[in-house]
Amino acid sequence: MSAPFDRSLTGDVESGIARDFAVSPQAGDEERVVESALRPHSLHDFIGQPKVARQLALVLEGAKRRGRPPDHVLLSGPPGLGKTSLALIIGSELGTAVKITSGPAIERSGDLAAMLSNLGSGDVLFIDEIHRIARPAEELLYMAMEDFRVDVVVGKGPGATAIPLEINPFTLVGATTRAGLLTGPLRDRFGFVGQMEFYEPTELQRVLARSADLLGVELTDDGSAEIAGRSRGTPRIANRLLRRVRDYAEVEADGRVTRAVARAALALYDVDELGLDRLDRAVLEALVARFNGGPVGVSTLAVAVGEEPHTVEEVCEPFLVRAGLLARTPRGRVATEAAWRHLGRPVPRGGVPLGGVTAAPRDPGSSSEPLFDA
């Protein structure tokens, strides 16, 4: 299977925020090269997401028995959970080529038409961040997905002519971190939708064991458990932390990644027991120490930690909310009792007011929705 890159996949956050921290779920260009060496090449080797993997296996096997391309596939979920890996696995299982691009790279419908016309029969077209595709290109995609045909407009004004162009049957695999931003007509044209979930620590240990074997790292069970517990339920973060701990083990220890070595290395990289980094802890410290736990507005909180409001809202808050350390209320951000305890501070008398909502501590690797939309 070949996987030519028609467009580069950038690792920027949608809001334009770049984060060069050890626990960022985004991947830069250099990290994608390392990830490609660690990616599984079949559903049998793919770890985690058992429900999505099982459903996808049935879709692909049925298509192969019928001798036709499978339905178009939409993979939705937070970054770093394996959407790109599954897209490449689909091509590998079908024995076809995979063409890779990203939504922001398709600015004009002509770009997409050229890409579609170059697809071979049964090829897989993978569009990352498909919710960011330009509207003219999206409308062209409708007809391509349903009828395997595109209309190329030649000329302008009253003399413009639409020339129908037949394209080979193909399978579109779209990946998105924000399924709610997809338009209804586009979402309805996908025959299979897979919702990716955060990984459990035991699943991450299996991911780490496989990666350690490929990287030639001697990883003990307790060292694997220590790294998995700080990886925020995300394989990309787990593999990144493994590489950083490997560096520490080779330079400062005997090369073996044990619990003690992992703890010392992750402490050096400012990743604590829950997977919080320096900025995460700064947000909680400001909320608890300067504002007595809140409520406080996100703009005020951002000024207190010296960051932009979008950085706090888009980068820090999702994990803090999921871990049960912070709550979004109509009046502002509030630190939960779990946040006070995690920072080693006594919980205020009478508890923490959350607008009538009690936030219980959660497993950082589990999936949950924010308490409030505000």
Side-chain angles (χ1 to χ4, degrees):
M1 180 195 72
S2 62
F5 284 73
D6 294 326
R7 297 288 191 276
S8 63
L9 285 174
T10 59
D12 62 334
V13 183
E14 183 165 337
S15 59
I17 303 164
R19 193 184 190 189
D20 191 23
F21 299 146
V23 291
S24 170
Q26 305 293 334
D29 292 336
E30 293 183 1
E31 187 168 21
R32 290 185 185 278
V33 177
V34 179
E35 285 184 350
S36 65
L38 301 178
R39 293 191 193 280
H41 300 292
S42 67
L43 285 173
H44 180 267
D45 296 331
F46 188 81
I47 299 173
Q49 312 295 338
K51 189 173 182 179
V52 173
R54 174 59 176 161
Q55 293 171 344
L56 193 56
L58 293 175
V59 171
L60 298 180
E61 182 61 28
K64 288 191 289 185
R65 293 188 181 188
R66 291 188 298 271
R68 296 177 57 85
D71 288 340
H72 303 297
V73 176
L74 176 65
L75 301 174
S76 173
L81 298 185
K83 297 185 291 297
T84 301
S85 295
L86 279 180
L88 297 177
I89 285 174
I90 290 174
S92 178
E93 295 283 348
L94 296 175
T96 60
V98 180
K99 304 291 182 68
I100 303 178
T101 186
S102 62
I106 305 176
E107 299 177 351
R108 297 179 298 272
S109 58
D111 297 337
L112 181 60
M115 195 177 306
L116 292 171
S117 63
N118 289 326
L119 292 176
S121 180
D123 282 357
V124 174
L125 174 62
F126 174 54
I127 303 180
D128 196 18
E129 295 299 310
I130 193 172
H131 63 272
R132 299 174 64 186
I133 191 172
R135 181 55 61 88
E138 179 182 324
E139 293 175 352
L140 181 73
L141 198 57
Y142 296 161
M143 187 177 299
M145 295 174 69
E146 287 191 332
D147 304 325
F148 301 116
R149 181 173 66 92
V150 294
D151 288 337
V152 179
V153 179
V154 178
K156 295 182 179 180
T161 303
I163 301 176
L165 177 64
E166 299 292 333
I167 59 177
N168 290 315
F170 71 100
T171 297
L172 174 65
V173 179
T176 178
T177 55
R178 296 190 174 186
L181 297 183
L182 286 174
T183 61
L186 179 59
R187 185 170 53 248
D188 293 342
R189 282 171 169 80
F190 287 98
F192 173 79
V193 179
Q195 177 63 47
M196 311 288 282
E197 303 289 346
F198 286 100
Y199 281 57
E200 297 295 332
T202 53
E203 295 175 325
L204 288 177
Q205 286 186 254
R206 293 168 55 199
V207 171
L208 288 167
R210 179 181 180 275
S211 299
D213 183 61
L214 293 174
L215 295 172
V217 178
E218 187 176 353
L219 177 65
T220 65
D221 291 340
D222 56 356
S224 174
E226 187 69 27
I227 297 174
R230 306 189 188 203
S231 299
R232 302 187 177 210
T234 306
R236 175 177 291 159
I237 295 176
N239 285 328
R240 183 186 300 147
L241 294 181
L242 173 63
R243 297 195 300 272
R244 299 290 73 78
V245 173
R246 174 195 61 180
D247 295 340
Y248 183 92
E250 292 176 351
V251 175
E252 301 290 341
D254 59 0
R256 296 176 67 246
V257 177
T258 62
R259 182 184 295 274
V261 169
R263 284 181 173 176
L266 295 176
L268 179 64
Y269 288 108
D270 288 328
V271 180
D272 70 11
E273 294 80 3
L274 291 183
L276 272 62
D277 62 9
R278 177 197 59 79
L279 183 56
D280 297 324
R281 289 193 301 274
V283 169
L284 289 183
E285 285 282 0
L287 190 56
V288 168
R290 302 185 187 182
F291 303 105
N292 197 31
V296 61
V298 65
S299 298
T300 304
L301 191 58
V303 172
V305 297
E307 293 287 350
E308 294 293 327
H310 279 87
T311 304
V312 174
E313 192 170 17
E314 299 290 338
V315 178
C316 299
E317 285 189 354
F319 178 71
L320 294 178
V321 171
R322 198 174 83 242
L325 300 174
L326 180 144
R328 293 175 174 176
T329 74
R331 298 177 57 195
R333 276 54 177 174
V334 177
T336 66
E337 293 184 7
W340 288 79
R341 296 192 183 98
H342 182 67
L343 296 176
R345 295 175 177 271
V347 179
R349 291 185 177 181
V352 178
L354 292 177
V357 177
T358 301
R362 298 187 180 91
D363 180 0
S366 64
S367 174
S368 65
E369 295 296 327
L371 294 175
F372 296 94
D373 293 331

